Amino acid sequence: MKPRLTLAEHVELGRTLAHVRDELIHRSVQLANAYPKSGPEGVPGQLLTKALDAVDKARSELENALFREHSNEAETSVYYPPRENQR
């Protein structure tokens, strides 16, 4: 069996994925404000939306793994940290 992520690795990955998600949202909005949402010009925005969905699914599955592997220390804030302006 392969080694699993440590709690510290989950925390680091959670922060990184939250940042990636925020950046994808920002860029998706930027494209939506600059180009049509359909047709050939809408393809990049549609692809960013798919990437955002993939990141969200990965975060969910990784959170499940975190709770399986580190049940005593796991917290939902590892993969879903509070936003900076909500602290």
Side-chain angles (χ1 to χ4, degrees), residues 11-85:
V11 170
E12 179 185 0
L13 185 54
R15 281 190 207 124
T16 300
L17 290 175
H19 175 74
V20 167
R21 184 181 193 282
D22 288 346
E23 187 66 21
L24 285 171
I25 289 173
H26 172 74
R27 299 304 175 177
S28 293
V29 170
Q30 182 181 25
L31 289 178
N33 288 332
Y35 295 98
K37 293 181 182 178
S38 60
E41 291 181 310
V43 171
Q46 293 166 11
L47 292 172
L48 284 183
T49 298
K50 287 182 182 182
L52 180 59
D53 290 344
V55 168
D56 284 343
K57 287 176 185 172
R59 290 169 78 197
S60 177
E61 291 301 322
L62 285 163
E63 183 182 60
N64 291 340
L66 169 67
F67 275 87
R68 278 193 311 273
E69 298 160 12
H70 304 281
S71 59
N72 292 334
E73 302 93 6
E75 297 178 7
T76 56
S77 62
V78 169
Y79 283 99
Y80 300 95
R83 303 190 105 206
E84 288 294 322
N85 59 3

